[in-house]
Amino acid sequence: MPTVFVVGSSNVDYSVMVDRFPDPGATVLGTGFSQTVGGKGANQAAAAHRAGAEVVFVTKVGADAQGEMIIQRLREAGLAPNWILRDPIHESGVALILVERTGRNQIAVAPGGNQALTAQDVRHALSHMQHGDLLLVQLEVPLATAQAALQMGKARGATTILNPAPAQALSDEVLRLVDVLIPNETEATALTDCTDVEAAARALFARGVSTVIVTLGEQGALLCERAGIHRISAYPVHAVDTTGAGDAFCGALACGLAEGWTLERSMEFANAAGALTTMKPGALDALPTREEILRLQRSRP
Ligand code: ADP
């Protein structure tokens, strides 16, 4: 089976629950603390692995205790640390998160080693990529690194997938390197200045992406390709925390394509994986197994 190469970020997320956010200059006492490993790259790599894919995860952490924690946690999640690079200068990426009782959050990220992942690092890691493999990239690493990864993926005959998150302006040169673009609704509209999601998908398609899949949260997802636009509805689940749903979707979609499934079938699989992730708190800990995804799919005719 083809391998899914994921190039992206890894962080330690420090979260404190608060009754209300502090005003500038003020301190509030929290009501709970958690320390977890996250980052879109780490979540998507783990999601693809849990969905059943062979995964190589390329990321960069610092030579610090947080870096050790990331390696350890990803190992527990089934990911080999071969391409978790250590940066001697930068610290590991961390996210400081305040979660209000209402569910709202405030997040500050220090990207650390993620911003030190270079095109050269990626070229080295992807030199093992073979024709027919999958490449999955997000934008929590420098754009030049993401672009170099996509170029290398294309040159080696891989199917390239870009989750353009967090949203930032992308040139046509970058978009032409992408076989499957997976923005959420906010990213699709931000990338195109279109307020309508179908118009945004069409605009991105027209700029040279072969396939655009827009994830629409509890509205499911929309596929835009040469044949036209096709919508699928979300699974009716009891969502308790939607963090990581998009990451689960991207990882599971890459897994489906690695299986040789059609885009439609892979998207159905990803839709189920996204839904299941909303049913548990957190991201990495909420990712479903392949069996759980298939079981949910079987429950819907
Ligand atoms: P992101 O996390 O990037 O904002 P979305 O919120 O669009 O991404 O969610 C990604 C996918 O997860 C959706 O396309 C859908 O398949 C699934 N999903 C998200 N929220 C729900 C929900 N409330 N109920 C069912 N499925 C959901």
Side-chain angles (χ1 to χ4, degrees):
M1 181 167 142
T3 301
V4 176
F5 286 77
V6 181
V7 173
S9 61
S10 46
N11 292 328
V12 177
D13 294 346
Y14 296 100
S15 307
V16 176
M17 301 282 295
V18 292
D19 288 332
R20 58 172 184 82
F21 294 134
D23 293 327
T27 301
V28 294
L29 287 182
T31 56
F33 170 67
S34 75
Q35 180 176 274
T36 54
V37 167
K40 292 180 194 300
N43 291 343
Q44 294 185 17
H49 171 76
R50 279 183 83 83
E54 193 74 51
V55 176
V56 172
F57 179 38
V58 185
T59 192
K60 194 176 246 185
V61 300
D64 48 14
Q66 286 76 12
E68 290 299 332
M69 181 181 161
I70 291 169
I71 291 171
Q72 173 64 23
R73 184 65 189 89
L74 292 181
R75 222 194 259 273
E76 286 162 12
L79 298 170
N82 310 26
W83 288 103
I84 304 183
L85 308 172
R86 308 293 302 259
D87 189 278
I89 300 166
H90 293 83
E91 276 144 9
S92 297
V94 296
L96 302 183
I97 307 174
L98 293 184
V99 185
E100 232 186 16
R101 273 193 193 285
T102 57
R104 291 195 306 168
N105 58 29
Q106 285 185 342
I107 306 177
V109 175
N114 294 308
Q115 283 302 316
L117 185 71
T118 64
Q120 189 54 33
D121 292 332
V122 162
R123 280 191 202 102
H124 194 191
L126 298 187
S127 62
H128 304 284
M129 187 174 246
Q130 295 186 0
H131 191 89
D133 282 342
L134 278 293
L135 173 70
L136 177 54
V137 183
Q138 321 76 29
L139 299 177
E140 287 184 337
V141 296
L143 184 57
T145 304
Q147 183 168 355
L150 293 166
Q151 264 159 352
M152 184 118 183
K154 273 283 178 203
R156 300 192 79 87
T159 298
T160 57
I161 308 174
L162 176 64
N163 170 225
Q168 60 173 287
L170 294 175
S171 65
D172 289 354
E173 193 188 350
V174 170
L175 289 175
R176 277 196 290 268
L177 296 169
V178 179
D179 292 315
V180 185
L181 185 75
I182 315 182
N184 65 14
E185 191 167 2
T186 316
E187 289 143 10
T189 48
L191 284 172
T192 56
D193 288 332
C194 297
T195 47
D196 175 68
V197 68
E198 287 197 9
R202 280 204 186 87
L204 289 165
F205 179 72
R207 286 179 62 194
V209 179
S210 315
T211 302
V212 182
I213 296 176
V214 186
T215 64
L216 301 170
E218 61 187 359
Q219 303 294 318
L222 178 147
L223 170 67
C224 176
E225 54 183 346
R226 187 155 308 165
I229 285 195
H230 168 69
R231 268 180 193 260
I232 56 170
S233 56
Y235 282 87
V237 294
H238 177 63
V240 295
D241 176 4
T242 61
T243 315
D247 293 335
F249 187 101
C250 293
L253 187 102
C255 174
L257 294 176
E259 297 273 356
W261 298 344
T262 62
L263 213 46
E264 287 77 6
R265 182 171 172 198
S266 302
M267 191 165 136
E268 292 286 353
F269 185 70
N271 191 35
L276 286 164
T277 305
T278 71
M279 296 175 69
K280 291 185 192 161
L284 209 56
D285 292 332
L287 296 169
T289 62
R290 181 187 187 85
E291 197 35 60
E292 289 167 333
I293 303 171
L294 295 174
R295 199 180 312 134
L296 181 62
Q297 285 195 278
R298 281 194 299 267
S299 74
R300 177 155 95 171

